Amino acid sequence: MKFTLYQPEYIYELGRRSNQEDSLFPAAAKATADDRIFVVCDGMGGHEFGEVASSIVCETIAKSASKHQVADNVFTDDHFQQVLDEAYDALDDSGKDKKGMGTTLAMLVFHRGGCLSAHIGDSRIYHFRPATGEILYRSRDHSLVNQLYETGEISRREMRTSKKKNLLLRAMQPQQPARTVADLVHITDIKPGDYFLMCTDGMLERYDDDDLLDILTSDADDKRKIELLREGTARNADNHTCYLIHVETVQSEPGDDRLPSDEAEARAACRALNDTSPGVEVELADIDEEAEADDSAQTSFVGEDFSNELAMEAPSLKRGMAKWLKILFVVLFLLIFVVAVLKFLH
């Protein structure tokens, strides 16, 4: 499978933060139609730490992956793991004394075996097909609010306004006892005209999936589409970064039918992509803009154990409430009984 791509378009904006903690590869204004590796990272840890983490991971992954000449070769899962390990090694060397330092990862590799999507954290990857008006794939955020949404604890609207939305269950951090793994999706159902969008969560403050689909299925050319995306994020508080990649041609080759492909399974597993309830219209008044713009409102890594603890706490809280309700019922019953007896005696 061989691809030609149109000129990739990008957004790389500070928002209303005081520093830029996002990183992207190719660097801003450096991408060409010949590029086949794209990376977006969203740093965390505040000011210097987040910026350092995202840039280290972004640059190391890009440099390591580029050795594989992916346009002419298959980029395997083993290749990706080697690349990821090199990024973790670089992060370990630079982050020994930087507590809380870390980054998300979103990566797309267009290679002879299709397109490999890899992500850690809440930086997101989409696959759009304007010809049919579909979103074929959306990565699942490794965040606490997404976990709560998928288990039915909160609604789609509450996801957008929750104070827990900056808590990540997965992130790349230095000196991890067990390094966080990435979700990999192998995409081979790629047609001319398809779009891939990869972005940090700051891009999505005021956009939902339907908004993105409307823009990318419009008749506008790519430059106008990226301008529409930029206009829609002009008031965003957080750093926001994205790459928009438009597929021009796809050339099939012998053996393509045997390539690994699990995009359909990934789509089925993404509750947010299959939610048939009406789209979420979040009013600007629902967003605390001052809090969003506050540099102290930083993304934090709590780990998957944290969500497990919450899951364990919920049943125990329910049992505790049930116990107290039973006690209250018994007390009320005894009180009624005593009152009845006293009335009878009088």
Side-chain angles (χ1 to χ4, degrees):
M1 182 178 295
K2 290 184 177 181
F3 305 95
T4 60
L5 305 177
Y6 291 102
Q7 172 65 36
E9 302 290 344
Y10 76 97
I11 292 174
Y12 186 54
E13 299 289 343
L14 187 63
R16 286 182 283 126
R17 299 292 192 202
S18 61
N19 68 303
Q20 177 62 273
E21 296 184 47
D22 289 357
S23 294
L24 74 168
F25 177 86
K30 297 295 185 182
T32 73
D34 294 327
D35 285 307
R36 295 294 179 269
I37 299 168
F38 300 88
V39 184
V40 168
C41 294
D42 182 359
M44 63 186 195
H47 293 285
E48 180 185 355
F49 290 179
E51 182 178 351
V52 169
S54 66
S55 62
I56 287 173
V57 168
C58 192
E59 292 170 9
T60 305
I61 283 182
K63 182 178 179 181
S64 178
S66 297
K67 299 175 185 176
H68 293 279
Q69 302 294 319
V70 297
D72 299 316
N73 297 289
V74 173
F75 188 75
T76 68
D77 291 3
D78 287 341
H79 292 151
F80 171 78
Q81 192 57 52
Q82 293 169 14
V83 167
L84 190 66
D85 286 342
E86 287 188 32
Y88 270 118
D89 291 343
L91 201 56
D92 286 348
D93 292 340
S94 300
K96 293 178 181 178
D97 301 317
K98 296 181 173 67
K99 186 177 181 180
M101 170 177 165
T103 184
T104 67
L105 168 68
M107 180 180 183
L108 285 172
V109 181
F110 294 87
H111 61 108
R112 289 289 288 273
C115 178
L116 177 69
S117 164
H119 85 285
I120 295 172
D122 62 353
S123 291
R124 199 175 291 175
I125 299 172
Y126 288 91
H127 179 193
F128 296 89
R129 180 157 293 161
T132 56
E134 292 179 278
I135 300 177
L136 298 181
Y137 170 66
R138 185 189 117 169
S139 56
R140 295 172 69 191
D141 297 346
H142 301 137
S143 64
L144 181 58
V145 291
N146 190 59
Q147 177 116 337
L148 293 173
Y149 165 70
E150 289 189 339
T151 56
E153 298 294 322
I154 62 175
S155 68
R156 293 173 70 185
R157 174 178 287 275
E158 288 170 326
M159 287 179 69
R160 299 285 292 271
T161 57
S162 173
K163 293 182 179 179
K164 296 184 176 71
K165 65 182 180 181
N166 291 326
L167 300 181
L168 296 184
L169 302 183
R170 290 196 213 176
M172 294 183 68
Q173 288 192 294
Q175 310 298 326
Q176 287 181 304
R179 289 174 168 177
T180 303
V181 299
D183 281 354
L184 301 183
V185 176
H186 310 85
I187 303 172
T188 58
D189 178 17
I190 304 172
K191 298 185 183 301
D194 285 3
Y195 281 99
F196 287 83
L197 176 72
M198 54 197 305
C199 62
T200 59
D201 69 317
M203 280 291 299
L204 305 170
E205 286 179 19
R206 290 175 172 80
Y207 280 134
D208 62 19
D209 292 354
D210 290 338
D211 296 326
L212 297 173
L213 187 61
D214 286 345
I215 291 173
L216 296 182
T217 56
S218 70
D219 293 332
D221 62 20
D222 289 352
K223 287 192 177 298
R224 179 55 184 155
K225 285 177 180 177
I226 204 70
E227 283 306 314
L228 289 170
L229 289 171
R230 185 175 283 110
E231 290 170 8
T233 59
R235 294 181 60 190
N236 285 16
D238 200 1
N239 303 152
H240 46 286
T241 299
C242 79
Y243 255 118
L244 180 63
I245 303 149
H246 191 184
V247 179
E248 183 177 15
T249 67
V250 181
Q251 179 183 338
S252 299
E253 296 181 299
D256 281 356
D257 58 337
R258 296 191 298 274
L259 293 172
S261 181
D262 45 24
E263 183 181 39
E265 291 85 347
R267 174 186 173 128
C270 182
R271 182 189 173 193
L273 192 55
N274 295 284
D275 194 334
T276 57
S277 61
V280 181
E281 294 292 339
V282 178
E283 300 294 336
L284 297 186
D286 292 337
I287 300 174
D288 185 345
E289 295 196 2
E290 289 187 5
E292 291 284 344
D294 184 358
D295 281 344
S296 65
Q298 296 289 337
T299 298
S300 301
F301 173 64
V302 294
E304 292 178 298
D305 289 341
F306 182 81
S307 65
N308 293 335
E309 289 171 11
L310 286 181
M312 293 173 66
E313 284 177 7
S316 63
L317 287 172
K318 291 178 181 178
R319 287 195 297 269
M321 290 178 63
K323 177 181 177 182
W324 283 108
L325 285 172
K326 288 179 181 178
I327 293 173
L328 181 60
F329 177 79
V330 171
V331 170
L332 287 173
F333 177 80
L334 290 175
L335 184 60
I336 293 170
F337 177 77
V338 169
V339 170
V341 170
L342 290 174
K343 284 185 177 180
F344 177 78
L345 292 176
H346 287 290

